[in-house]
Amino acid sequence: MPSRLTILGASIALALAACTDEPRPNVAAADESAEAAPESPAAAPTVEEAVEFVERAEAELSENAEFVGRTLWVQANFITFDTNWLAARAGADSTELAVRLANETKRFEGLDLPPEVARKMDILRTGITMPAPSRPGAAQELADISTWLESTYSTGTYEYQGEALDLPALERIIDSSRDPEELAEVWAGWRTVSAPMADRYARMMEIASEGARELGFDDLAEMWLSKYGMEPEEMEAEVNRLWSQVEPLYEQLHCDVRAGLNEFYGDEVQPAEGPIRADLLGNMWAQQWSNIYDIVAPEGASEGVDLTSLLEENDYTPRRMIETGEAFFTSLGFEPLPDTFWERSLFTQPPDREVVCHASAWDVDNVDDLRIKMCTEVDAEDFQTVHHELGHNFYQRAYAGQDFLFRDGAHDGFHEAIGDFVALSITPEYLREIGLIDEVPDASADLGLLMRQALDKIAFLPFGMLMDQWRWRVLRGEVAPEDYNSAWWALREQYQGVVPPVERPPEAFDPGAKYHIPANVPYLRYFLSFIMQFQFHQAACEMAGWDGPLHRCSIYGNEEVGRRFQAMLELGQSQPWPDALEAFTGTREMDGSAIIAYFEPLMSYLEERNAGRQCGW
Ligand code: X8Z
Ligand code: ZN
């Protein structure tokens, strides 16, 4: 997640950590401003009071954000009983402050406010990911649960072959093993970590729902969907529209991958029809599938570029991968990262302490204390993630000059799309320019390249959408706690066409085995990002005067594109997102036609391959 204030529970638009649930300001300030707030309900509020209120809110939030940011940084880098305690306290205080400020905006409803002030009021009202009701104790209970959930996830292990393996170790097996029994055991083993989360997860949802209702929303799903500058129903319809644009691509990919797995493993393991076994796809959550490229590589496609091998052969280290990512951004005209980035970031998993390994990007002081925290491995997947995280950091820095409440992405999908957009320019030509390959493979390698990309970018789309479809149902009370897991698998089967390798036990809580569920990071942002990053790429390539196929276009070194990109980033969330989108792409709508255009050559190939097959599941 991007720079917004979400840690442990609440999230107001405070630019702190991206990809975590962020923090909030501390108690002392909250108390102070509670006293300062005019309490007399009799006096009709004025526009001047509204302006003053927003100024005060920004000052309070900003003053306290740094304390919370540093507390949460320490906890994520050193998970212990005490740092959990501190993080939960900071989270609770932050939620209380955010909720109090959100409630205070109610006084100004109906006033004809200057647009900038109205916009900030809206951010205050809708920008909390996990609101608590203001009754005493609620914010602390919520923060205690969410801290416990995230640290349970981050410290979870499963004993395999006599050794307690943590998530990175279990992932290494899922990513590379071709033994279906081993895959099923490790897959199910990781999910023993989330089973004990179920009750507390349900309680957390109950509290946050109460918080959303207190703020005037029907439920928390409505609140989450209210952050996009349109009615929640309209936003949901947008998601459905985008999905229907790309669904045919997914179905073709699913069909060919299933056939490849069937051929590789045989009917017993992967039948030729029906859904795909989720543990065979080279990813713990079956969300991105490029690790099984070798199984499904297009017939006759030449070897192409295997980035993981190239990084290894060229003695890349995590640090060098990050330097390479930074150099891409500076080639577009961005300033190099500050020295403190290199001093304070976490690049690799420490051997001797518990950390949150799920990658994130932080701006700890909301000015220029930029950092990433990653358990980086030297492989193609993490090379991508490095660019993803740096995208968050360069965005954070670009909008640091905005007023505090505008220091965030135009919407959360923008924040997720920035680094991925840049990484779409990691083409063979770019790899040649930075000396990783000597010669660019000829066009016969393109199909392979597109297949690798599709296994990540197309395969992800239904997963990116269904994570929050599941949460929206939970938050609307449409799924009772005892049905959490079956509702989860119904969506997984419906949209992704995947099934668990083994029957799920009654106590299973499989959604909790994916970081963003225990960590309360909304997920729709990634679905939007995977659509929009191709819009950015297409627009940037057009700006660059590129007229070849999109998958061969790289904007590396193009400062003119960099300037226009920077101009969009500097806006932060000061303007409605369609304005930001228009500034860079010329269109005001999110649209799947760019991703469709990018993969057009692959789709023609897949349709041919699948011609005699019964696709779907
Ligand atoms: O969580 C992330 C980033 C941090 S915001 C590493 N991503 C999603 C995931 O891992 O599930 C990036 C792609 C989708
Ligand atoms: Zn991210």
Side-chain angles (χ1 to χ4, degrees), residues 1-2 18-19 359 388-389 392 415-416 526:
M1 147 180 158
C19 318
H388 176 94
E389 298 307 334
H392 286 309
H415 229 301
E416 299 305 334
Y526 303 105

Side-chain angles (χ1 to χ4, degrees), residues 189-471:
W190 170 242
R191 283 157 179 80
T192 60
V193 167
S194 53
M197 294 177 187
D199 290 349
R200 268 175 270 203
Y201 190 82
R203 175 67 187 142
M204 178 176 74
M205 288 315 207
E206 209 170 78
I207 301 170
S209 298
E210 195 188 333
R213 287 192 298 271
E214 184 183 292
L215 292 175
F217 296 90
D218 284 349
D219 52 56
L220 188 53
E222 182 187 285
M223 190 164 160
W224 282 18
L225 280 162
S226 296
K227 296 179 199 177
Y228 298 92
M230 57 179 95
E231 292 301 317
E233 315 78 66
E234 275 178 75
M235 186 55 196
E236 217 180 334
E238 273 296 274
V239 174
N240 292 331
R241 177 180 68 79
L242 295 169
W243 170 240
S244 63
Q245 282 187 290
V246 296
E247 189 180 4
L249 278 66
Y250 181 73
E251 191 173 295
Q252 290 298 318
L253 182 69
H254 180 282
C255 197
D256 192 48
V257 165
R258 181 179 59 192
L261 290 170
N262 172 253
E263 197 174 314
F264 185 84
Y265 285 109
D267 291 343
E268 290 293 295
V269 174
Q270 177 56 61
E273 290 184 3
I276 299 176
R277 231 179 87 163
D279 59 332
L280 304 180
L281 288 160
N283 178 279
M284 184 60 92
W285 307 276
Q287 65 180 67
Q288 282 159 303
W289 306 344
S290 58
N291 286 325
I292 58 156
Y293 173 77
D294 56 316
I295 297 182
V296 299
E299 235 159 68
S302 68
E303 177 59 7
V305 174
D306 176 0
L307 189 52
T308 297
S309 310
L310 288 173
L311 294 169
E312 281 167 5
E313 286 158 17
N314 286 273
D315 297 324
Y316 266 65
T317 58
R319 192 186 169 94
R320 186 154 170 221
M321 286 161 64
I322 296 158
E323 286 165 355
T324 307
E326 182 199 29
F328 200 121
F329 282 89
T330 54
S331 88
L332 299 176
F334 290 81
E335 289 299 311
L337 292 162
D339 290 345
T340 52
F341 171 89
W342 302 99
E343 292 156 13
R344 298 173 190 167
S345 289
L346 178 80
F347 294 155
T348 50
Q349 184 174 17
D352 54 355
R353 62 179 207 263
E354 304 277 13
V355 304
V356 176
C357 263
H358 191 86
S360 54
W362 300 58
D363 183 0
V364 180
D365 64 355
N366 289 292
V367 182
D368 209 31
D369 193 344
L370 305 169
R371 309 173 189 188
I372 62 172
K373 184 182 56 55
M374 271 184 74
C375 299
T376 317
E377 316 235 343
V378 178
D379 60 25
E381 190 176 328
D382 275 359
F383 197 56
Q384 160 74 30
T385 304
V386 160
H387 290 77
H388 176 94
E389 298 307 334
L390 292 181
H392 286 309
N393 280 153
F394 282 101
Y395 203 176
Q396 288 161 338
R397 176 193 259 171
Y399 57 58
Q402 291 285 349
D403 288 351
F404 190 76
L405 283 169
F406 291 156
R407 288 180 214 166
D408 206 345
H411 70 45
D412 52 8
F414 281 71
H415 229 301
E416 299 305 334
I418 301 311
D420 284 14
F421 149 60
V422 165
L424 286 176
S425 282
I426 303 176
T427 55
E429 173 56 28
Y430 165 72
L431 296 176
R432 194 191 58 76
E433 281 183 59
I434 64 166
L436 271 171
I437 54 176
D438 296 329
E439 256 181 63
V440 173
D442 65 36
S444 70
D446 283 20
L447 217 47
L449 183 153
L450 281 169
M451 183 60 130
R452 274 187 211 275
Q453 284 283 51
L455 290 168
D456 281 341
K457 303 293 185 182
I458 303 289
F460 180 78
L461 294 165
F463 182 78
M465 179 180 63
L466 72 81
M467 281 274 287
D468 278 0
Q469 287 192 336
W470 179 81
R471 269 191 292 215

